[in-house]
Amino acid sequence: MRNRGVLTIISGFSGVGKGTLVKALLDKYDNYALSVSATTRMPRPGETDGINYFFIRKEEFEEKIQNGAFLEYARYVDNYYGTPREYVEQQLEAGKDVLLEIEIQGARQIKKLLPEAFTIFIMPPDAVTLKERLVGRNTETMEVIEARLCRASEEAEGIEWYDSVLVNDNLEKSVEALHGLIQAAHCDTFRNKDFIKDIRKGVKAFSEGE
Ligand code: 5GP
């Protein structure tokens, strides 16, 4: 078997601390590559083009959709978000564990395309903490916060669909748990249906005396 990286999808409510968690994971271990998404939303203060997102116009985004440049894309609270295909494929091929920080519609598209992808949903310790974090980060208007909380409530319906759920109550602990889950996914051949088929065929052949 080729030593391909594990494609990991990390989802979670807006304000749950996914970004901080992923950054801490990247700082601590060098086997990960983070996919930078394209979006049509405006940069927040402190966000840099090419690092946090590729900030592009709606027309450019739609052209990229037409050209098949995205592995997946979705609309989220009035904006487009999409995963550039090429980077993800290159990094997986190079053996890196690729992290996608995306929402559930995109996660479902990827899982259909690549069933071996590993999906994790990050949870807040409780709902009150979520609202406090979202309001406290002071980067969105109250109207956008309300829309994001509404979206969180919809997303809550999809949590059981994920392979794993991680409660982010302590950064250091959560980074280790996330790392452990992804590394364990390397050994979890159950998600790699082709591998299972090959082994099954091989074992059957042995049993028939070949
Ligand atoms: P934010 O505007 O807070 O940065 O992101 C809003 C939501 O879009 C988050 O749930 C984030 O995970 C998701 N998101 C970011 N990039 C992508 C992407 O490339 N594809 C999809 N489907 N969702 C994304």
Side-chain angles (χ1 to χ4, degrees):
M1 250 202 333
R2 264 180 315 170
N3 199 9
R4 214 171 129 87
V6 168
L7 178 59
T8 300
I9 297 172
I10 299 174
S11 301
F13 306 128
S14 185
V16 77
K18 300 181 297 277
T20 312
L21 195 57
V22 165
K23 187 177 177 305
L25 187 70
L26 288 162
D27 285 348
K28 190 159 182 188
Y29 299 101
D30 60 11
N31 57 299
Y32 295 107
L34 174 65
S35 158
V36 177
S37 297
T39 183
T40 56
R41 90 149 156 73
M42 296 297 286
R44 293 187 189 125
E47 284 185 331
T48 311
D49 186 43
I51 292 183
N52 302 93
Y53 282 104
F54 295 106
F55 296 100
I56 62 177
R57 284 175 307 109
K58 188 166 168 255
E59 296 70 31
E60 196 183 336
F61 199 103
E62 286 171 345
E63 203 179 299
K64 283 181 184 291
I65 296 175
Q66 294 308 320
N67 296 339
F70 295 122
L71 201 53
E72 62 71 38
Y73 71 92
R75 280 192 82 93
Y76 181 95
V77 189
D78 290 341
N79 281 297
Y80 278 126
Y81 293 80
T83 304
R85 179 189 298 279
E86 204 176 319
Y87 177 82
V88 172
E89 286 173 355
Q90 279 169 358
Q91 295 297 312
L92 285 175
E93 217 35 58
K96 290 276 186 188
D97 294 329
V98 177
L99 308 173
L100 303 186
E101 201 198 306
I102 65 176
E103 51 66 72
I104 189 163
Q105 297 169 46
R108 287 188 196 274
Q109 289 174 47
I110 300 248
K111 196 78 174 184
K112 240 188 230 162
L113 211 64
L114 304 164
E116 73 276 16
F118 179 50
T119 56
I120 304 179
F121 195 89
I122 312 290
M123 294 275 276
D126 52 70
V128 176
T129 311
L130 182 73
K131 186 165 184 192
E132 280 171 3
R133 282 192 196 162
L134 205 49
V135 176
R137 96 179 161 189
N138 226 355
T139 51
E140 270 95 13
T141 61
M142 219 37 221
E143 196 188 341
V144 173
I145 291 173
E146 301 280 320
R148 282 174 176 251
L149 283 171
C150 183
R151 179 62 186 249
S153 158
E154 281 167 30
E155 284 190 341
E157 298 303 314
I159 295 173
E160 281 92 347
W161 174 82
Y162 283 79
D163 293 321
S164 206
V165 175
L166 177 65
V167 178
N168 184 21
D169 51 359
N170 168 296
L171 181 62
E172 219 171 296
K173 209 178 86 195
S174 298
V175 168
E176 279 319 298
L178 188 57
H179 180 61
L181 285 168
I182 299 171
Q183 294 320 299
H186 273 275
C187 314
D188 184 0
T189 47
F190 183 69
R191 288 175 303 100
N192 187 341
K193 298 286 189 295
D194 287 341
F195 179 74
I196 294 172
K197 260 190 237 151
D198 288 351
I199 292 283
R200 189 176 281 150
K201 228 163 68 192
V203 171
K204 189 158 180 263
F206 286 146
S207 77
E208 287 164 357
E210 277 176 31

